[in-house]
Amino acid sequence: MADAPKAVVLPPGSTVGILGGGQLGRMLAIAAARLGLRTHVYEPGAAPAGDVAAQLTTASYDDLDALGAFARSVDVVTYEFENVPARALDAIEGVVPVRPGRRALAVSQDRLDEKRFVSGLGIAVADHAAVGSREELDAAIARIGPGILKTRRLGYDGKGQARVRGPEDADAAFAAMQGAPAIYEAWVAFEREVSVIAARGLDGAVVAYDPGENVHRDGILRTTTVTGAAGRGIRADAALIAGRLLNALDYVGVIGVELFVAGGRLLVNEFAPRVHNSGHWTIEACVVDQFQQHVRAVAGWPLGDGARHSDAVMENLIGDEADRWREIAAGGGGLHLYGKAETRPGRKMGHVTRLSPKT
Amino acid sequence: MADAPKAVVLPPGSTVGILGGGQLGRMLAIAAARLGLRTHVYEPGAAPAGDVAAQLTTASYDDLDALGAFARSVDVVTYEFENVPARALDAIEGVVPVRPGRRALAVSQDRLDEKRFVSGLGIAVADHAAVGSREELDAAIARIGPGILKTRRLGYDGKGQARVRGPEDADAAFAAMQGAPAIYEAWVAFEREVSVIAARGLDGAVVAYDPGENVHRDGILRTTTVTGAAGRGIRADAALIAGRLLNALDYVGVIGVELFVAGGRLLVNEFAPRVHNSGHWTIEACVVDQFQQHVRAVAGWPLGDGARHSDAVMENLIGDEADRWREIAAGGGGLHLYGKAETRPGRKMGHVTRLSPKT
């Protein structure tokens, strides 16, 4: 696959195309507008991002005509989710650059490729094995011990995953994959889950934000906490890992890297080639947040400073938790609601970030 | 004029109508979106705010049909400029509430009414006199000494104003009014110009931001600086003045009050019944900025905390200064470009806010 044409720096007034119209696309569109850039959102379904975009196309990712027209109307294309179909990218890439590029998408779309890629860079990951059959699963459990079976592709927020405590869980776990190729990953007895949000510019410059400590429940991110203590002993290593990934992928844009802290060591769990839920705290705690940083990168602008001026705790509002908006608004903190028409259990409806003096 | 109906609190998903589609409307629309509110912008000309609004109406303020349709499509109406024609307000007020209300608009649209109103609250203003004729101007100069002759209505960024050093300037100054009713204001030998941005909620709660020190050039705001020193000795008085104005006007929304510090005393120069250029620093330095605060107020939400976590210097980018966007973006600070298609001398094209630790 030839590289997309290296576009020149996009001046204010240019248009950034965004694949996906959810909350990440919405916050990207707002960030672009702040810099005087226009946005065109492409989304097959309901698009909260459409309310803050100069233009919205509602069409399927199979609609090559619509994708072509979209590509011709913009100066660069980026995306809010990593499962952009390859054929959609094909239709766009001949017209305008897609950033971050093909490589990052391909690697991150397949959990096994991702583990191999990261590990190939000399970065620690959990022990793992490909599972294409029941026999391979048995062998993996025997060799690795307790773990998690995950589909290699798709799945998010804990979907498409099955915990395996021992051989007795193998039947149920294998069935849960519904025949899809899978990866078996060792259960990591981590002390903490952290993530680092970093960016690489078109000029190769890399900027990392301070790492945040994440708490998940039912596979969904609940809180990210960024303090001096959260980053102690891992800040430099997390930034180095992110930088190594970004450079190896010749990446342009923001990446979210989830890590385990286990036995004082950092293991990469996964990365997302996009702005990341665990980076929402940057909106309040940094002058240039992850969304503006991403827009700067894909538009070829110089990256901003990633320094934070405050400590931050970001709390997701899941499902009907967002119904408490009035109480949360009164309680201080930076409230964000995503404009989703329908509240569903497990759905991310908004978040709130509370600041305190920097430690 | 009967009060507009007191709307209940507007839940997320409601629509805020905004009269005026310039940079203030644009930043209001972004703030509303962050809270899960939709916006509909009404603007006769080019509308940078349209790019971040769910809906845009391009029509004149004389078009009562368009205004009626606009009013019916929204849940509350606010505005980004104080010179909204009275007939336009009439067309809207029967349908939905306009916030801030009629009184604040009427008072602030006329510099003489404004001075009398403020002064009537026991708040100091510069000595002044109504000037409807050349004789009145001569008398005013004789009584007051050096001053500024201003049209009572319209005019902004120094337009419609003439400096008078003595009787020898009277001819030119009077001619500059082009027959419009005017006000003669004493020249205040101020030590500093400051402004305070404050808000009043539908429930009557008042929140004030720390005052900022302003530097104007050629009648246009250049910088606002907010530090401990900028507020020393005046913070409490400035907040009290703003609060007295807000309560007297039964105000709902954000107000910008410009003040002179002269001989250790605060004199109100003027106020604007809207978000204000000298409050742009709140975007980076506060969790709830002036735009979100205004949206919270007009939507009947609880006001947010007005505390700042940092010192800030906001610098306007006027005319071709915004052409330096790339250099400014690389230099750190929060860059904002307003998406205006045409650069003109004296036109506000963007701003940049630089933070430093709070003093």
Side-chain angles (χ1 to χ4, degrees):
Chain A
M1 186 76 48
D3 270 5
K6 288 275 176 195
V8 292
V9 172
L10 303 182
S14 304
T15 302
V16 176
I18 302 171
L19 295 169
Q23 66 267 23
L24 300 181
R26 184 172 165 103
M27 291 185 271
L28 283 171
I30 287 174
R34 287 227 153 126
L35 294 177
L37 295 161
R38 306 180 83 237
T39 53
H40 184 166
V41 167
Y42 190 105
E43 161 67 56
D51 282 355
V52 286
Q55 206 177 336
L56 170 66
T57 294
T58 305
S60 140
Y61 292 120
D62 300 328
D63 186 338
L64 300 184
D65 289 341
L67 286 165
F70 167 72
R72 286 188 295 276
S73 78
V74 302
D75 298 295
V76 67
V77 167
T78 189
Y79 42 86
E80 63 155 12
F81 69 116
E82 55 271 42
N83 294 310
V84 182
R87 285 193 62 206
L89 293 172
D90 292 340
I92 294 166
E93 275 194 336
V95 185
V96 282
V98 175
R99 295 177 183 148
R102 212 57 191 254
R103 182 88 195 283
L105 270 174
V107 169
S108 68
Q109 282 178 358
D110 184 309
R111 289 194 174 80
L112 184 63
D113 291 349
E114 187 183 12
K115 280 276 189 303
R116 287 175 173 164
F117 175 78
V118 173
S119 166
L121 295 174
I123 300 168
V125 298
D127 198 3
H128 57 276
V131 171
S133 66
R134 179 55 206 267
E135 292 68 36
E136 285 180 335
L137 176 58
D138 291 340
I141 297 172
R143 179 174 74 77
I144 293 172
I148 309 177
L149 188 63
K150 300 176 177 176
T151 56
R152 283 176 59 171
R153 303 180 71 87
L154 303 172
Y156 64 93
D157 286 352
K159 297 181 179 88
Q161 306 195 359
R163 174 98 190 255
V164 177
R165 285 164 189 80
E168 68 280 11
D169 292 334
D171 281 343
F174 192 74
M177 299 300 105
Q178 302 183 312
I183 175 174
Y184 188 72
E185 301 177 9
W187 181 258
V188 177
F190 57 81
E191 288 108 50
R192 303 192 285 137
E193 286 183 279
V194 298
S195 57
V196 59
I197 310 296
R200 186 167 177 273
L202 199 60
D203 58 0
V206 168
V207 170
Y209 293 96
D210 275 356
E213 184 164 334
N214 300 325
V215 174
H216 289 83
R217 197 159 67 223
D218 303 328
I220 302 174
L221 182 68
R222 299 302 315 201
T223 61
T224 299
T225 301
V226 186
T227 60
R232 198 157 299 139
I234 61 162
R235 185 178 294 110
D237 282 348
L240 282 172
I241 287 172
R244 212 181 302 171
L245 285 171
L246 290 169
N247 287 326
L249 292 164
D250 193 19
Y251 196 95
V252 177
V254 161
I255 195 170
V257 186
E258 295 189 35
L259 303 139
F260 297 129
V261 185
R265 231 166 44 120
L266 285 174
L267 281 73
V268 167
N269 179 29
E270 61 180 27
F271 69 85
R274 54 167 170 78
V275 289
H276 197 260
N277 192 169
S278 70
H280 291 359
W281 63 272
T282 59
I283 296 175
E284 276 79 14
C286 303
V287 168
V288 175
D289 65 31
Q290 67 164 345
F291 301 98
Q292 178 173 143
Q293 198 73 291
H294 187 76
V295 171
R296 283 176 176 239
V298 302
W301 290 34
L303 295 185
D305 186 357
R308 64 185 170 86
H309 49 66
S310 300
D311 283 3
V313 179
M314 188 284 308
E315 179 189 354
N316 272 333
L317 303 174
I318 313 281
D320 60 12
E321 290 171 0
D323 296 347
R324 298 190 297 114
W325 61 269
R326 201 172 167 175
E327 173 197 332
I328 296 166
L335 173 63
H336 300 253
L337 297 171
Y338 302 148
K340 296 182 181 178
E342 197 193 339
T343 303
R344 286 199 299 264
R347 193 175 206 201
K348 291 172 181 170
M349 302 299 293
H351 73 270
V352 58
T353 298
R354 298 181 179 90
L355 298 187
S356 53
K358 189 180 177 189
T359 58
Chain B
M1 187 76 45
D3 270 5
K6 289 272 177 198
V8 292
V9 171
L10 303 183
S14 304
T15 302
V16 176
I18 302 172
L19 294 170
Q23 68 266 24
L24 299 181
R26 183 172 165 105
M27 291 186 273
L28 284 170
I30 286 174
R34 286 229 154 124
L35 294 177
L37 295 160
R38 306 179 83 235
T39 54
H40 184 167
V41 168
Y42 190 104
E43 161 67 53
D51 283 353
V52 287
Q55 206 176 338
L56 170 66
T57 293
T58 305
S60 137
Y61 292 118
D62 300 327
D63 185 339
L64 300 184
D65 290 341
L67 286 164
F70 167 72
R72 286 188 296 278
S73 77
V74 302
D75 299 295
V76 68
V77 167
T78 189
Y79 42 85
E80 63 155 13
F81 69 117
E82 54 271 44
N83 293 311
V84 182
R87 286 192 63 208
L89 293 171
D90 292 341
I92 294 166
E93 275 194 336
V95 185
V96 282
V98 175
R99 295 178 182 147
R102 211 57 190 253
R103 183 88 195 282
L105 270 175
V107 169
S108 69
Q109 281 178 359
D110 184 308
R111 290 194 173 79
L112 184 62
D113 290 350
E114 187 183 12
K115 281 276 187 305
R116 286 173 173 164
F117 175 78
V118 173
S119 166
L121 296 174
I123 300 169
V125 298
D127 197 3
H128 57 275
V131 171
S133 66
R134 179 55 205 267
E135 292 68 35
E136 285 180 335
L137 177 57
D138 290 341
I141 296 173
R143 180 175 73 77
I144 293 173
I148 309 179
L149 188 64
K150 301 176 177 175
T151 55
R152 283 176 59 171
R153 303 181 70 86
L154 303 172
Y156 64 94
D157 286 351
K159 298 182 177 88
Q161 306 195 358
R163 174 98 189 256
V164 177
R165 285 164 188 81
E168 69 279 13
D169 292 333
D171 281 344
F174 191 74
M177 300 299 106
Q178 301 183 311
I183 175 175
Y184 189 72
E185 301 178 8
W187 181 258
V188 177
F190 56 82
E191 288 106 52
R192 303 191 285 137
E193 285 183 279
V194 298
S195 57
V196 59
I197 310 296
R200 187 168 178 272
L202 198 60
D203 59 0
V206 168
V207 170
Y209 293 96
D210 275 356
E213 184 165 334
N214 300 325
V215 174
H216 289 83
R217 198 159 65 223
D218 303 327
I220 302 174
L221 181 66
R222 299 301 317 202
T223 61
T224 299
T225 300
V226 186
T227 60
R232 198 156 298 138
I234 60 163
R235 185 178 293 109
D237 283 348
L240 282 171
I241 287 172
R244 213 181 300 169
L245 285 171
L246 290 168
N247 288 327
L249 293 164
D250 193 18
Y251 196 95
V252 176
V254 161
I255 196 170
V257 186
E258 295 189 35
L259 303 141
F260 297 129
V261 184
R265 230 167 43 121
L266 285 174
L267 280 74
V268 167
N269 179 28
E270 61 180 26
F271 69 84
R274 53 169 169 80
V275 288
H276 197 262
N277 192 170
S278 69
H280 290 358
W281 63 270
T282 59
I283 297 174
E284 276 80 14
C286 304
V287 168
V288 175
D289 65 33
Q290 67 164 346
F291 301 99
Q292 177 173 143
Q293 198 73 291
H294 187 76
V295 170
R296 283 175 175 239
V298 302
W301 290 35
L303 295 185
D305 186 357
R308 65 185 169 88
H309 49 67
S310 300
D311 284 3
V313 180
M314 187 286 306
E315 179 189 355
N316 272 333
L317 302 174
I318 313 281
D320 61 12
E321 290 171 359
D323 295 347
R324 296 190 298 117
W325 60 269
R326 200 172 167 177
E327 173 196 335
I328 296 166
L335 172 64
H336 300 253
L337 297 171
Y338 302 149
K340 296 182 180 176
E342 198 192 339
T343 303
R344 287 199 298 264
R347 193 175 206 202
K348 292 172 180 168
M349 303 299 293
H351 73 269
V352 58
T353 298
R354 298 183 180 89
L355 298 186
S356 52
K358 190 181 175 186
T359 58

